[in-house]
């Protein structure tokens, strides 16, 4: 397997709903690369997300809304031996394709992701980045905004993304850790600061920790999502 990974095709799967502001830049960062395909999985956008994606000549398919569902639909449509899941508000580093193929050739590695950089200058976000990168490196628990990648074979072996309404990336990582190691590429993916800026850096970070704790204590993902959404849109 490791020998074939060196020349393997990478399928980049981008789940999107109403991402017209971000999708162009996300797709653009996939372009200077070799032997890849890009699949945008639209969950019912009301803006021109689909038209923008189609203008790049990439594959665009429709799905029921829900990030986990959309990513699983994209994986089914993928023709590559490697799957890379990219959020629509994140941008890949130059040379990501070679980095991924090299990373997956390491013995014992079953998946990987990139370091995180947040696209805003607030000093508090540097602390968030530090915390994310420490967690990713030492606990092998990167999240979806770090562009998770793995072979299609491993993805199928663990049953794909659990179709949860929230925490699908967290649960995917827990499953992957049971079968091997997760590598973190030191070059960062750059993600939008919008979710931290909407509610504030401290509140967002605290909410995220509460959500993880609730999930680990057995609270249902649907209940967590309802609570999280209420907090997200409450006026501060």
């Amino acid at each position: 397997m490791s020998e074939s990974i060196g020349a393997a095709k990478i399928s980049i799967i981008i789940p999107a709903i109403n991402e017209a502001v971000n999708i162009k830049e996300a797709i653009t960062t996939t372009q200077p690369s070799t032997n890849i395909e890009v699949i945008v999985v639209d969950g019912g956008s009301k803006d021109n997300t689909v038209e923008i994606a189609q203008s790049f000549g990439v594959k665009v398919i429709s799905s029921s809304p829900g990030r986990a569902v959309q990513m699983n639909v994209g994986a089914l449509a993928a023709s590559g031996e490697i799957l890379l899941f990219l959020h629509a508000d994140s941008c890949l580093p130059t040379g990501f394709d070679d980095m991924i193929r090299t990373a997956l050739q390491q013995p014992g590695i079953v998946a990987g992701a990139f370091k995180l950089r947040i696209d805003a200058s607030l000093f508090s976000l540097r602390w968030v980045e530090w915390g994310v990168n420490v967690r990713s490196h030492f606990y092998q628990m990167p999240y979806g905004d770090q562009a998770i990648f793995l072979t299609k074979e491993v993805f199928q072996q663990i049953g794909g993304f659990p179709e949860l309404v929230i925490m699908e990336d967290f649960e995917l990582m827990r499953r992957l850790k049971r079968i091997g190691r997760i590598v973190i590429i030191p070059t960062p993916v750059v993600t939008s600061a919008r979710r931290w800026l909407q509610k504030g850096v401290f509140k967002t970070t605290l909410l995220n920790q509460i959500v993880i704790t609730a999930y680990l204590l057995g609270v249902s993902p649907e209940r967590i999502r309802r609570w999280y959404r209420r907090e997200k849109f409450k006026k501060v």
Side-chain angles (χ1 to χ4, degrees):
M1 171 62 77
S2 62
E3 289 180 8
S4 62
I5 287 296
K9 183 176 186 179
I10 301 174
S11 295
I12 303 167
I13 297 158
I14 308 176
I17 301 180
N18 298 325
E19 290 285 3
V21 173
N22 297 301
I23 195 74
K24 178 179 179 180
E25 192 171 7
I27 295 174
T28 298
T29 64
T30 70
Q31 300 299 291
S33 49
T34 56
N35 198 20
I36 66 147
E37 69 173 349
V38 178
I39 303 171
V40 174
V41 188
D42 186 72
S45 294
K46 304 299 183 190
D47 61 10
N48 60 339
T49 297
V50 169
E51 290 79 6
I52 293 169
Q54 288 173 335
S55 73
F56 282 88
V58 304
K59 184 184 292 186
V60 181
I61 57 179
S62 297
S63 158
S64 302
R67 185 173 275 155
V69 175
Q70 289 171 250
M71 291 190 291
N72 284 338
V73 167
L76 278 174
S79 62
E81 298 97 322
I82 297 172
L83 306 176
L84 167 60
F85 297 95
L86 178 68
H87 285 187
D89 63 351
S90 297
C91 294
L92 293 165
T94 303
F96 71 89
D97 48 335
D98 290 335
M99 295 178 205
I100 288 171
R101 293 187 185 100
T102 300
L104 288 176
Q105 288 181 83
Q106 297 176 48
I109 296 297
V110 294
F114 294 81
K115 275 186 68 174
L116 183 71
R117 191 163 80 235
I118 303 167
D119 187 17
S121 58
L122 286 176
F123 180 72
S124 54
L125 289 174
R126 304 292 78 82
W127 282 103
V128 173
E129 291 170 348
W130 179 83
V132 167
N133 293 324
V134 166
R135 181 200 69 218
S136 302
H137 182 74
F138 288 104
Y139 296 99
Q140 296 181 63
M141 286 296 289
Y143 295 165
D145 51 11
Q146 292 172 255
I148 295 166
F149 58 84
L150 70 173
T151 65
K152 184 187 278 187
E153 182 182 355
V154 168
F155 186 75
Q156 292 170 341
Q157 180 185 336
I158 62 169
F161 277 98
E163 295 195 351
L164 306 174
V165 293
I166 196 169
M167 304 292 287
E168 76 287 335
D169 49 357
F170 184 86
E171 184 57 36
L172 182 86
M173 286 299 135
R174 291 176 80 195
R175 295 180 184 182
L176 285 167
K177 283 174 68 175
R178 294 181 194 130
I179 63 170
R181 290 193 303 118
I182 297 158
V183 67
I184 305 299
I185 292 176
T187 307
V189 68
V190 180
T191 197
S192 168
R194 62 183 175 177
R195 66 190 177 95
W196 286 278
L197 299 180
Q198 281 170 354
K199 299 190 294 290
V201 175
F202 176 76
K203 185 175 181 181
T204 302
T205 304
L206 180 62
L207 276 174
N208 289 343
Q209 296 311 307
I210 293 170
V211 163
I212 291 167
T213 302
Y215 181 76
L216 291 173
L217 289 173
V219 179
S220 77
E222 184 59 53
R223 187 174 174 188
I224 294 172
R225 202 242 330 229
R226 284 199 303 269
W227 177 80
Y228 186 80
R229 292 284 188 261
R230 199 158 56 238
E231 285 294 324
K232 183 176 179 180
F233 295 111
K234 191 188 292 181
K235 290 188 183 295
V236 178

